[in-house]
Amino acid sequence: MERIFPTQTVTATLMWPVTGLATGTPVLVRKLTAPRRERRAEASALQAKQDELAAQAAKEAEAAWLKKLSAEADPTKRAAMTRTRETEKITMRQIQLEQAKADRKEKHGKVGEAAGAAALMLLVGGPLIWSLARPWVQPGIGLLLGVWWIAALIHAPAPGKTLAEDEQAPEQPVPAVEEEPSEEEPSDAPEVTAPTPADAHSLTASLTAAGSSVLLTRMAADLGAAHPLWKPSTRAVRALLAEAGIPVREGVRTPDGNGPGVHHQDVPALPSPSQEKAGAPVVANVAARQSANANANNADQAEPQKGFTTVPHPTDPARTIVIHPAGAA
């Protein structure tokens, strides 16, 4: 009974004879017609294989004939061979058409003979057969409908499911999954890179060099294209611009439209190569809490002085920036 009435509420149980018949009939039909579908699929596969073999044989024959034709040096013989080949093709096509016509005629003849025999049987033996089978027609129809109803209830999927467990499609073979390289094995894949504030500054300067402002969405798209492993977003672009010291306006006019972005007048100039070479600080891994070199000889003087100056790192307290004056030996 649990299999025929797989419901939990009273309303669902009362409605199950109708809902079960409606949902179980398609499943039962699929199950009854499954062997026929399998035979049709097998016949189609065999026919496709046969057609493929025939096409391959025709291709090989054509290649052999072309090879033979190319080996013939006499133009007259080559023309005769070509005419003979065309005649053979036309003859084969006519034979195929005649064979198909004969097959259709034979098939129609068999159908006509069967229909005539059935009509003769109905005319001659129909009244006798009906007189004998009439008492059993109504009980037979009722019995058939009852058996179908019970079978549909048995095959009906449970509420909330599309198919019963025994009606699920056969499991397909799971393709072999390639094992991912372990963390210990070296990998040639590039490391995850993200744009830096310098990249954002350089991109902003290049996009606004013509005197037009740029939207944050445009910068996010360009930075994402340059760093495929980075997830572009306007929030990340804002953070990069803030670290680079570039203000963001909530409304700017650009060739791409209006919206939050960077005005072309707010972009600071990029440092020149000579300034980067002369004034770039050298970062050294100095122990934390090391006192800075605050000697008097580190002050700005007219002539270059020997020595260096240490200042705390702005983001990493465990590091110290060592600044060598330009021109120091």
Side-chain angles (χ1 to χ4, degrees), residues 277-301:
K277 183 177 180 180
V282 179
V283 180
N285 292 327
V286 183
R289 299 184 182 86
Q290 179 178 348
S291 60
N293 183 8
N295 297 333
N297 59 354
N298 290 328
D300 295 335
Q301 296 182 6

PDB file of all heavy atoms in Angstrom, residues 277-301:
ATOM      1  N   LYS A 277      64.893  56.910 -10.882  1.00  0.00           N
ATOM      2  CA  LYS A 277      66.216  56.325 -10.651  1.00  0.00           C
ATOM      3  C   LYS A 277      66.942  57.008  -9.525  1.00  0.00           C
ATOM      4  O   LYS A 277      67.645  56.389  -8.742  1.00  0.00           O
ATOM      5  CB  LYS A 277      67.034  56.421 -11.945  1.00  0.00           C
ATOM      6  CG  LYS A 277      68.404  55.786 -11.861  1.00  0.00           C
ATOM      7  CD  LYS A 277      69.112  55.859 -13.188  1.00  0.00           C
ATOM      8  CE  LYS A 277      70.481  55.215 -13.102  1.00  0.00           C
ATOM      9  NZ  LYS A 277      71.210  55.271 -14.395  1.00  0.00           N
ATOM     10  N   ALA A 278      66.776  58.342  -9.391  1.00  0.00           N
ATOM     11  CA  ALA A 278      67.520  59.075  -8.365  1.00  0.00           C
ATOM     12  C   ALA A 278      66.861  58.996  -7.014  1.00  0.00           C
ATOM     13  O   ALA A 278      67.521  58.916  -5.995  1.00  0.00           O
ATOM     14  CB  ALA A 278      67.667  60.545  -8.791  1.00  0.00           C
ATOM     15  N   GLY A 279      65.539  59.026  -6.983  1.00  0.00           N
ATOM     16  CA  GLY A 279      64.865  59.122  -5.697  1.00  0.00           C
ATOM     17  C   GLY A 279      64.176  57.874  -5.240  1.00  0.00           C
ATOM     18  O   GLY A 279      63.446  57.916  -4.267  1.00  0.00           O
ATOM     19  N   ALA A 280      64.357  56.758  -5.918  1.00  0.00           N
ATOM     20  CA  ALA A 280      63.683  55.533  -5.503  1.00  0.00           C
ATOM     21  C   ALA A 280      64.303  55.017  -4.234  1.00  0.00           C
ATOM     22  O   ALA A 280      65.512  54.818  -4.153  1.00  0.00           O
ATOM     23  CB  ALA A 280      63.799  54.472  -6.599  1.00  0.00           C
ATOM     24  N   PRO A 281      63.532  54.818  -3.189  1.00  0.00           N
ATOM     25  CA  PRO A 281      64.093  54.303  -1.931  1.00  0.00           C
ATOM     26  C   PRO A 281      64.430  52.839  -2.047  1.00  0.00           C
ATOM     27  O   PRO A 281      63.801  52.095  -2.798  1.00  0.00           O
ATOM     28  CB  PRO A 281      62.963  54.543  -0.930  1.00  0.00           C
ATOM     29  CG  PRO A 281      61.718  54.524  -1.757  1.00  0.00           C
ATOM     30  CD  PRO A 281      62.095  55.092  -3.072  1.00  0.00           C
ATOM     31  N   VAL A 282      65.452  52.426  -1.325  1.00  0.00           N
ATOM     32  CA  VAL A 282      65.863  51.028  -1.270  1.00  0.00           C
ATOM     33  C   VAL A 282      65.315  50.452   0.013  1.00  0.00           C
ATOM     34  O   VAL A 282      65.568  50.969   1.103  1.00  0.00           O
ATOM     35  CB  VAL A 282      67.400  50.906  -1.300  1.00  0.00           C
ATOM     36  CG1 VAL A 282      67.809  49.445  -1.229  1.00  0.00           C
ATOM     37  CG2 VAL A 282      67.944  51.574  -2.557  1.00  0.00           C
ATOM     38  N   VAL A 283      64.549  49.368  -0.099  1.00  0.00           N
ATOM     39  CA  VAL A 283      63.916  48.743   1.058  1.00  0.00           C
ATOM     40  C   VAL A 283      64.787  47.591   1.498  1.00  0.00           C
ATOM     41  O   VAL A 283      65.136  46.715   0.702  1.00  0.00           O
ATOM     42  CB  VAL A 283      62.504  48.253   0.703  1.00  0.00           C
ATOM     43  CG1 VAL A 283      61.865  47.607   1.917  1.00  0.00           C
ATOM     44  CG2 VAL A 283      61.668  49.430   0.221  1.00  0.00           C
ATOM     45  N   ALA A 284      65.155  47.585   2.751  1.00  0.00           N
ATOM     46  CA  ALA A 284      65.963  46.493   3.290  1.00  0.00           C
ATOM     47  C   ALA A 284      65.203  45.840   4.425  1.00  0.00           C
ATOM     48  O   ALA A 284      64.425  46.486   5.130  1.00  0.00           O
ATOM     49  CB  ALA A 284      67.316  47.025   3.793  1.00  0.00           C
ATOM     50  N   ASN A 285      65.434  44.555   4.641  1.00  0.00           N
ATOM     51  CA  ASN A 285      64.796  43.815   5.724  1.00  0.00           C
ATOM     52  C   ASN A 285      65.566  44.054   7.009  1.00  0.00           C
ATOM     53  O   ASN A 285      66.472  43.310   7.374  1.00  0.00           O
ATOM     54  CB  ASN A 285      64.761  42.327   5.402  1.00  0.00           C
ATOM     55  CG  ASN A 285      63.831  42.045   4.259  1.00  0.00           C
ATOM     56  OD1 ASN A 285      62.832  42.736   4.109  1.00  0.00           O
ATOM     57  ND2 ASN A 285      64.169  41.047   3.459  1.00  0.00           N
ATOM     58  N   VAL A 286      65.216  45.140   7.670  1.00  0.00           N
ATOM     59  CA  VAL A 286      65.855  45.491   8.930  1.00  0.00           C
ATOM     60  C   VAL A 286      64.961  45.017  10.061  1.00  0.00           C
ATOM     61  O   VAL A 286      63.733  45.031   9.943  1.00  0.00           O
ATOM     62  CB  VAL A 286      66.093  47.017   9.019  1.00  0.00           C
ATOM     63  CG1 VAL A 286      66.832  47.380  10.288  1.00  0.00           C
ATOM     64  CG2 VAL A 286      66.877  47.471   7.806  1.00  0.00           C
ATOM     65  N   ALA A 287      65.545  44.592  11.116  1.00  0.00           N
ATOM     66  CA  ALA A 287      64.770  44.042  12.226  1.00  0.00           C
ATOM     67  C   ALA A 287      63.789  45.072  12.737  1.00  0.00           C
ATOM     68  O   ALA A 287      64.007  46.281  12.658  1.00  0.00           O
ATOM     69  CB  ALA A 287      65.721  43.608  13.348  1.00  0.00           C
ATOM     70  N   ALA A 288      62.679  44.553  13.288  1.00  0.00           N
ATOM     71  CA  ALA A 288      61.655  45.441  13.827  1.00  0.00           C
ATOM     72  C   ALA A 288      62.178  46.198  15.027  1.00  0.00           C
ATOM     73  O   ALA A 288      63.035  45.723  15.773  1.00  0.00           O
ATOM     74  CB  ALA A 288      60.432  44.623  14.227  1.00  0.00           C
ATOM     75  N   ARG A 289      61.617  47.364  15.215  1.00  0.00           N
ATOM     76  CA  ARG A 289      61.948  48.249  16.351  1.00  0.00           C
ATOM     77  C   ARG A 289      63.387  48.729  16.290  1.00  0.00           C
ATOM     78  O   ARG A 289      63.959  49.142  17.277  1.00  0.00           O
ATOM     79  CB  ARG A 289      61.696  47.561  17.704  1.00  0.00           C
ATOM     80  CG  ARG A 289      60.227  47.157  17.904  1.00  0.00           C
ATOM     81  CD  ARG A 289      60.039  46.577  19.289  1.00  0.00           C
ATOM     82  NE  ARG A 289      58.673  46.152  19.488  1.00  0.00           N
ATOM     83  CZ  ARG A 289      58.208  44.960  19.139  1.00  0.00           C
ATOM     84  NH1 ARG A 289      59.021  44.095  18.574  1.00  0.00           N
ATOM     85  NH2 ARG A 289      56.945  44.649  19.348  1.00  0.00           N
ATOM     86  N   GLN A 290      64.034  48.642  15.138  1.00  0.00           N
ATOM     87  CA  GLN A 290      65.383  49.176  15.022  1.00  0.00           C
ATOM     88  C   GLN A 290      65.312  50.691  14.968  1.00  0.00           C
ATOM     89  O   GLN A 290      64.496  51.251  14.254  1.00  0.00           O
ATOM     90  CB  GLN A 290      66.061  48.631  13.747  1.00  0.00           C
ATOM     91  CG  GLN A 290      67.471  49.174  13.548  1.00  0.00           C
ATOM     92  CD  GLN A 290      68.109  48.561  12.314  1.00  0.00           C
ATOM     93  OE1 GLN A 290      67.586  47.608  11.787  1.00  0.00           O
ATOM     94  NE2 GLN A 290      69.238  49.111  11.887  1.00  0.00           N
ATOM     95  N   SER A 291      66.136  51.336  15.708  1.00  0.00           N
ATOM     96  CA  SER A 291      66.079  52.794  15.767  1.00  0.00           C
ATOM     97  C   SER A 291      66.527  53.388  14.451  1.00  0.00           C
ATOM     98  O   SER A 291      67.429  52.873  13.793  1.00  0.00           O
ATOM     99  CB  SER A 291      66.992  53.304  16.896  1.00  0.00           C
ATOM    100  OG  SER A 291      68.315  52.901  16.643  1.00  0.00           O
ATOM    101  N   ALA A 292      65.866  54.449  14.085  1.00  0.00           N
ATOM    102  CA  ALA A 292      66.204  55.111  12.826  1.00  0.00           C
ATOM    103  C   ALA A 292      67.497  55.891  12.968  1.00  0.00           C
ATOM    104  O   ALA A 292      67.834  56.393  14.041  1.00  0.00           O
ATOM    105  CB  ALA A 292      65.076  56.051  12.424  1.00  0.00           C
ATOM    106  N   ASN A 293      68.241  55.994  11.870  1.00  0.00           N
ATOM    107  CA  ASN A 293      69.484  56.747  11.861  1.00  0.00           C
ATOM    108  C   ASN A 293      69.134  58.219  11.721  1.00  0.00           C
ATOM    109  O   ASN A 293      68.822  58.692  10.636  1.00  0.00           O
ATOM    110  CB  ASN A 293      70.359  56.279  10.686  1.00  0.00           C
ATOM    111  CG  ASN A 293      71.694  56.983  10.682  1.00  0.00           C
ATOM    112  OD1 ASN A 293      72.032  57.693  11.621  1.00  0.00           O
ATOM    113  ND2 ASN A 293      72.456  56.779   9.610  1.00  0.00           N
ATOM    114  N   ALA A 294      69.154  58.903  12.813  1.00  0.00           N
ATOM    115  CA  ALA A 294      68.769  60.321  12.817  1.00  0.00           C
ATOM    116  C   ALA A 294      69.972  61.212  13.030  1.00  0.00           C
ATOM    117  O   ALA A 294      69.904  62.236  13.707  1.00  0.00           O
ATOM    118  CB  ALA A 294      67.735  60.574  13.913  1.00  0.00           C
ATOM    119  N   ASN A 295      71.115  60.830  12.516  1.00  0.00           N
ATOM    120  CA  ASN A 295      72.304  61.651  12.671  1.00  0.00           C
ATOM    121  C   ASN A 295      72.163  62.947  11.894  1.00  0.00           C
ATOM    122  O   ASN A 295      71.375  63.071  10.971  1.00  0.00           O
ATOM    123  CB  ASN A 295      73.551  60.893  12.169  1.00  0.00           C
ATOM    124  CG  ASN A 295      73.795  59.645  13.007  1.00  0.00           C
ATOM    125  OD1 ASN A 295      73.408  59.594  14.170  1.00  0.00           O
ATOM    126  ND2 ASN A 295      74.423  58.634  12.395  1.00  0.00           N
ATOM    127  N   ALA A 296      72.969  63.889  12.274  1.00  0.00           N
ATOM    128  CA  ALA A 296      72.861  65.214  11.651  1.00  0.00           C
ATOM    129  C   ALA A 296      73.326  65.187  10.209  1.00  0.00           C
ATOM    130  O   ALA A 296      72.931  66.030   9.415  1.00  0.00           O
ATOM    131  CB  ALA A 296      73.699  66.230  12.453  1.00  0.00           C
ATOM    132  N   ASN A 297      74.193  64.208   9.867  1.00  0.00           N
ATOM    133  CA  ASN A 297      74.709  64.216   8.506  1.00  0.00           C
ATOM    134  C   ASN A 297      73.670  63.752   7.501  1.00  0.00           C
ATOM    135  O   ASN A 297      73.954  63.707   6.303  1.00  0.00           O
ATOM    136  CB  ASN A 297      75.954  63.326   8.401  1.00  0.00           C
ATOM    137  CG  ASN A 297      75.625  61.893   8.801  1.00  0.00           C
ATOM    138  OD1 ASN A 297      74.527  61.617   9.238  1.00  0.00           O
ATOM    139  ND2 ASN A 297      76.627  61.019   8.687  1.00  0.00           N
ATOM    140  N   ASN A 298      72.413  63.363   7.964  1.00  0.00           N
ATOM    141  CA  ASN A 298      71.370  62.953   7.043  1.00  0.00           C
ATOM    142  C   ASN A 298      70.537  64.131   6.573  1.00  0.00           C
ATOM    143  O   ASN A 298      69.631  63.966   5.768  1.00  0.00           O
ATOM    144  CB  ASN A 298      70.439  61.942   7.708  1.00  0.00           C
ATOM    145  CG  ASN A 298      71.155  60.622   7.914  1.00  0.00           C
ATOM    146  OD1 ASN A 298      72.012  60.238   7.131  1.00  0.00           O
ATOM    147  ND2 ASN A 298      70.801  59.943   9.001  1.00  0.00           N
ATOM    148  N   ALA A 299      70.783  65.303   7.062  1.00  0.00           N
ATOM    149  CA  ALA A 299      69.989  66.467   6.661  1.00  0.00           C
ATOM    150  C   ALA A 299      70.385  66.887   5.259  1.00  0.00           C
ATOM    151  O   ALA A 299      71.475  66.601   4.768  1.00  0.00           O
ATOM    152  CB  ALA A 299      70.224  67.628   7.645  1.00  0.00           C
ATOM    153  N   ASP A 300      69.473  67.594   4.608  1.00  0.00           N
ATOM    154  CA  ASP A 300      69.739  68.080   3.248  1.00  0.00           C
ATOM    155  C   ASP A 300      70.856  69.116   3.295  1.00  0.00           C
ATOM    156  O   ASP A 300      70.788  70.095   4.041  1.00  0.00           O
ATOM    157  CB  ASP A 300      68.477  68.696   2.642  1.00  0.00           C
ATOM    158  CG  ASP A 300      67.404  67.650   2.458  1.00  0.00           C
ATOM    159  OD1 ASP A 300      67.774  66.450   2.342  1.00  0.00           O
ATOM    160  OD2 ASP A 300      66.217  68.031   2.439  1.00  0.00           O
ATOM    161  N   GLN A 301      71.884  68.915   2.500  1.00  0.00           N
ATOM    162  CA  GLN A 301      72.996  69.833   2.425  1.00  0.00           C
ATOM    163  C   GLN A 301      73.270  70.136   0.967  1.00  0.00           C
ATOM    164  O   GLN A 301      72.735  69.504   0.061  1.00  0.00           O
ATOM    165  CB  GLN A 301      74.239  69.231   3.080  1.00  0.00           C
ATOM    166  CG  GLN A 301      74.046  68.986   4.592  1.00  0.00           C
ATOM    167  CD  GLN A 301      75.301  68.440   5.229  1.00  0.00           C
ATOM    168  OE1 GLN A 301      76.326  68.352   4.561  1.00  0.00           O
ATOM    169  NE2 GLN A 301      75.218  68.111   6.502  1.00  0.00           N
TER     170      GLN A 301
END
